[in-house]
Every structure is written in C-alpha cells, then in structure tokens.
Amino acid sequence: MPLPQSSRSLRNRLLLAAAILAAGTLTWYQFGGDADSAKPDNLRRMGWDAPAVVRVEPAELGQLDVRIKSIGTVTPLNTVMVQSRVSGVLDKVVFEEGARVEQGDLLAEIDPSSYRAQLDQAEGQLQQDIAKLENARADLALYEQLWEQDSIARQKLSAQRALVQELLGTVRADQARVDDARLQLSWTRITAPLSGRLGLRKVDQGNLVTGSEAEGLVSITQTQPIAVNFTVPEVDVPALREARRGEAALKVEVLDRTEQRVLATGELTTLDNQIDTSTGTLRVRAQFANDDEALFPNQFVNVHLRLKTLDAVVTIPSDAVQFGTERSYVYVVQNDKAYVRNVVLGAATDGRVAVTEGLEPGELVVLEGLDRLRDGKEVNIPDGDAGSSVNAERRSPPPAN
C-alpha cells in the first residue's frame, strides 16, 4: 500500500536535514579541524614553555652562627619570705612596697620591751653567779694553804673544789641565757636577708605577729643576677655538651615575645642531670647580670643559645632548598636557564642554611617561582631583583648530575 502524501513529505524533510548535517560535519573536519587542533599547542607553547618569572639570590660566603632556639622562664636565683622569728606587736614598718633593698637593711621592728627585760634578768643572774664563783675560788685558795699546813681535812678541800666547778658550770649556763636573750632582742629588728626587690606588704603596723606565721611580712626576690630556665631538645643535647667542653662559656641571648629586641645577654651555667622522658628535652639554665632589670621574675622569653660560629661557609636562604626522596637540591640560574643542582646541607639558623657541597659563592639560587621550573627551563629575572645585576653575566651550563 502506498504511503499517504503527508508521510512522504515528512520523510523527505528528514532525509534533507540528515544530508545537510553530514555536509556540515565534513566541511568542519576539512577546514576547521587543523586550526582547532593547533590551538592547544599554541596555548601550551605560550604558557608552560614560556620563560618562568623567578626571584633569585646569590649564595654568600661568610659566618653562620649555629644556635638553639627555645622558650624560657625568668627565674630568680633566690626568693625568700621575710618572717618574724619572735612574737610581739609590730611596732614599725619602715620599707616601701616594691622598693629595692640591700642585705641587712632594716625592714620592720617589733616592740622590744619584753625581750629587753629578759636580757636584763639574765645578765643579773649571771652577775650573781659570777660573784659566788669568785668567793668560792677565794675559799679554795685558803683551804689549799690550810691543807699544806695540815690544818683541815682533805674532804673539806675536795668539797670546795667541787663547789668551784659547779659554779663554773652555772656561770656558763647563765652566759648562754644572756646570749639567747640578747639574740631574741636582736630579732625584734627585722632586716633583709638578701639584696633584691620587695613585694607587697602582708601585714600592717600594730598587728601582733608570731614566729610561726607562714604568710610572713613581705617577700624579697633577687633580681641581680637572675636566671632563665629553658629546655633543649634531646637531639641537640650531644652538640650542646660538645660545645660546652670548650674553654669559653656559651653565650645566651634573651629576646622579647616578638623576637625583635634583645633583652639581655648572659652565659649558660647549668645542665640538668637527666632528660625528661615525658617531653624528650633537657632542662638548662643561663645566668644574666640584669643590671637594668629588663628581665622580670616568671616572665616568658625567647632564648637563643649560640653553640658555635662557622667561618667561611657558603650559605643560602632555607626557602631555596628542595627536598627529594634521596637528595636535597636547588635550582641554579646560569645563562638565563634554571638547572637542578644537588647540594649537601650543613647547619641552619635564622632562615639560612650552610651548603657544604654543591654550590660556589655568588651562584644564583631560585627563591620564588620554583613550582614552574624544570631542569633547563628558561627563566626571567625582573629588574630590581637581588640577583638581577649579575643576571647579565653569562656562565656556562653546569655539568649533568
């Protein structure tokens, strides 16, 4: 059965559309395919193969201080709580809170009346017993003369000698009581046991104080000299001990929290006798004169301990070093190209690292733009960069590693 007129017309339209689509596809492959396929190559050539813009810095020959950095706490060498050694009414308070005092300075006085009376009583008893002793010695001298004349019995002479020895003991005991009373009286004057800075007063004038009070009158903290306690990682302990065997004391710098200002410079004095297993660190101590009192007790500070100084070593910024699975390397710029250079690293401090093998002084190493580099890639150093003045100098490419 023949198709209706409307069906034949629809089929003809579909065939015509298919023919037009096929002709367009063929034309695109013939005339547009080459241009489009070349476009990725052009983009690739303009991006990846274009010279990389980098920032460089020359390797420097000079000194490098090998340091250990840590966080420490300012610790007084001595801190005492001034307490009364006798009981009584606090008669005078002569110190100012926060003031600096010297050893032996008067701080306060306790009412001495009762202690002065006890001293007078002990001295009176001593005088009485001294008089008895002198009288007994005179009698003993007389008895010895009479004994030589065979005028008294031996027992009476022996008894007199014993009495003299007894009175000698009594006088010594009296003298001890006098010394104790005088000592008790001296303790009514409370003086500074060491030089340092006073804290806040803990008791006021007129109060009754006793020798058993734990709170005391005031605290004194020694600030000159003063110490800083800090820790050293276990891995650095061998180098620290080796450096400490030298004749010169190890220098220690204390900086503020921003590490922008040096507060004091001192010397390492003490190492603890064991490593703390919970932290893997060794506690050490440095001492500072602290003449300007820049260091305050219990203050947190940054500590730089200098172990040694390396002379005439090649150093580069630590940011220039790249670390591979089996090597450390840098990119060296020569003849406007970047080349991979294997290096052997030494000590590092303050953002710079020593290079013991692989670099010569003055060679340019790449600091920025490392992610766009490969061995032999052309580079572009902007004007004004640290190494641009030597960029014009042409060097022969390095030998293959």
Side-chain angles (χ1 to χ4, degrees), residues 11-255:
R11 184 182 63 179
N12 292 338
R13 287 198 209 94
L14 292 176
L15 292 175
L16 179 59
I20 293 173
L21 180 60
T25 302
L26 180 62
T27 302
W28 180 84
Y29 275 109
Q30 288 180 349
F31 299 100
D34 292 340
D36 291 343
S37 62
K39 191 174 300 183
D41 292 338
N42 293 336
L43 293 175
R44 192 179 304 113
R45 194 176 299 113
M46 292 172 59
W48 176 253
D49 292 338
V53 178
V54 296
R55 187 170 73 87
V56 298
E57 185 170 321
E60 298 179 357
L61 181 65
Q63 292 184 339
L64 182 69
D65 290 335
V66 180
R67 297 177 179 177
I68 295 176
K69 294 184 178 182
S70 182
I71 297 177
T73 304
V74 180
T75 305
L77 295 178
N78 294 289
T79 298
V80 297
M81 180 62 66
V82 179
Q83 294 177 313
S84 174
R85 304 180 71 172
V86 294
S87 301
V89 176
L90 192 60
D91 203 15
K92 295 180 182 178
V93 176
V94 299
F95 65 85
E96 294 183 4
E97 296 175 314
R100 178 167 181 81
V101 294
E102 299 298 327
Q103 184 176 4
D105 287 351
L106 179 64
L107 301 179
E109 287 186 2
I110 294 176
D111 184 10
S113 303
S114 61
Y115 297 98
R116 189 174 290 114
Q118 293 176 14
L119 176 60
D120 293 341
Q121 183 180 4
E123 289 177 340
Q125 184 64 46
L126 174 62
Q127 290 177 357
Q128 292 179 11
D129 292 334
I130 289 176
K132 292 179 181 179
L133 175 61
E134 291 176 351
N135 185 55
R137 281 174 173 171
D139 289 345
L140 177 61
L142 177 61
Y143 289 169
E144 287 176 344
Q145 292 178 2
L146 294 176
W147 167 253
E148 292 176 356
Q149 298 173 4
D150 198 19
S151 299
I152 61 172
R154 184 177 182 83
Q155 183 179 4
K156 191 172 184 64
L157 177 62
S158 299
Q160 189 63 30
R161 286 176 176 172
L163 178 60
V164 170
Q165 293 299 319
E166 179 183 352
L167 290 174
L168 280 172
T170 302
V171 168
R172 292 186 64 182
D174 290 342
Q175 184 63 54
R177 281 190 285 271
V178 168
D179 294 340
D180 180 66
R182 186 175 289 115
L183 182 62
Q184 297 285 328
L185 178 61
S186 69
W187 284 345
T188 60
R189 289 174 53 87
I190 302 174
T191 59
L194 55 83
S195 300
R197 190 163 295 279
L198 295 170
L200 300 179
R201 186 175 68 244
K202 300 180 182 297
V203 64
D204 297 324
Q205 180 176 331
N207 286 321
L208 179 65
V209 295
T210 63
S212 59
E213 290 181 354
E215 190 175 16
L217 277 69
V218 68
S219 64
I220 302 179
T221 300
Q222 182 180 353
T223 58
Q224 297 173 343
I226 203 166
V228 172
N229 293 341
F230 59 100
T231 58
V232 172
E234 181 179 357
V235 295
D236 294 327
V237 171
L240 172 60
R241 296 185 63 193
E242 181 180 357
R244 199 163 182 261
R245 294 190 186 102
E247 296 180 358
L250 298 183
K251 298 295 183 182
V252 181
E253 289 184 343
V254 169
L255 297 86

